[in-house]
Amino acid sequence: MLEDLYLESKKILSRYEEAIRPILPDAKKQQTLDFLHGDFLEQDFSSADMIFAHSTCFHDELMTALERRCMSLKKGAKVLLVTKTFQSAFFKFLKMEEYPMTWGKATVNFYEKVE
Ligand SMILES: C[S@@+](CC[C@H](N)C(=O)[O-])C[C@H]1O[C@@H](n2cnc3c(N)ncnc32)[C@H](O)[C@@H]1O
C-alpha cells in the first residue's frame, strides 16, 4: 500500500530474478512472484491457496475486514497470521508457533478455511 515499500519490493524482486531464480530447481523456476501496489482488502482471494499476513500492527477494524475478505477463500486454503487471531468458526485453528523476526520472536497462528 505504501509507495516507498512497493518500490523497494520491486528492487528486491529484480535481485531475486537475477541471483536466485537461476539457481532454483527446475520446478521452482516456473513459479512467478510479484507485488501489487494497492489495498489487499480490494484483492480477489478466491483462488488463493495461502494467505500470509504480517498482522502484528493491524488494528481491530483491519483484522475484522481481513477476516471478512478471507471468507471468500476456498475450502482448505491456509491463513497464517503473525501475532493476531481470527474469531470465526469458518477458520479452523491448526497450530501456533514462534518464529524469529528481525525485531524479535513472533507468534504465528495457522488456520484452515473449513467451509
Ligand atoms: C508488519 S508490516 C509487514 C511488512 C512486510 N510485508 C513483511 O512481511 O515484512 C505490515 C504491512 O501491512 C501493510 N498494510 C496494512 N494495511 C494494508 C492494506 N489494507 N493493504 C495493503 N497493505 C497494508 C502496512 O503498510 C505494512 O507495510
Side-chain angles (χ1 to χ4, degrees):
M1 184 172 247
L2 302 175
E3 187 168 16
D4 287 352
L5 285 185
Y6 170 72
L7 294 174
E8 198 58 33
S9 71
K10 293 298 259 189
K11 276 191 219 160
I12 293 168
L13 182 57
S14 299
R15 283 170 40 206
Y16 173 86
E17 295 294 353
E18 280 167 29
I20 306 296
R21 189 180 295 283
I23 59 171
L24 291 175
D26 282 345
K28 298 265 181 192
K29 271 188 191 146
Q30 310 309 319
Q31 293 179 346
T32 57
L33 176 63
D34 206 357
F35 294 92
L36 299 176
H37 185 200
D39 185 343
F40 57 61
L41 295 175
E42 291 174 4
Q43 305 306 316
D44 178 8
F45 285 12
S46 59
S47 65
D49 297 312
M50 201 267 281
I51 298 291
F52 170 81
H54 208 151
S55 47
T56 302
C57 299
F58 290 2
H59 53 74
D60 290 351
E61 290 78 14
L62 183 54
M63 284 308 299
T64 302
L66 175 61
E67 186 163 358
R68 201 174 302 126
R69 174 63 34 171
C70 284
M71 294 288 194
S72 65
L73 286 168
K74 60 196 174 194
K75 186 178 172 187
K78 305 290 189 297
V79 182
L80 279 62
L81 301 175
V82 183
T83 310
K84 297 295 168 74
T85 56
F86 272 174
Q87 310 303 323
S88 152
F90 287 101
F91 300 98
K92 181 182 167 197
F93 177 74
L94 299 176
K95 62 179 177 177
M96 182 176 84
E97 287 182 349
E98 278 196 335
Y99 287 90
M101 303 287 165
T102 52
W103 44 269
K105 266 192 200 163
T107 303
V108 182
N109 295 299
F110 293 70
Y111 294 88
E112 181 178 328
K113 177 88 183 334
V114 289
E115 284 181 48

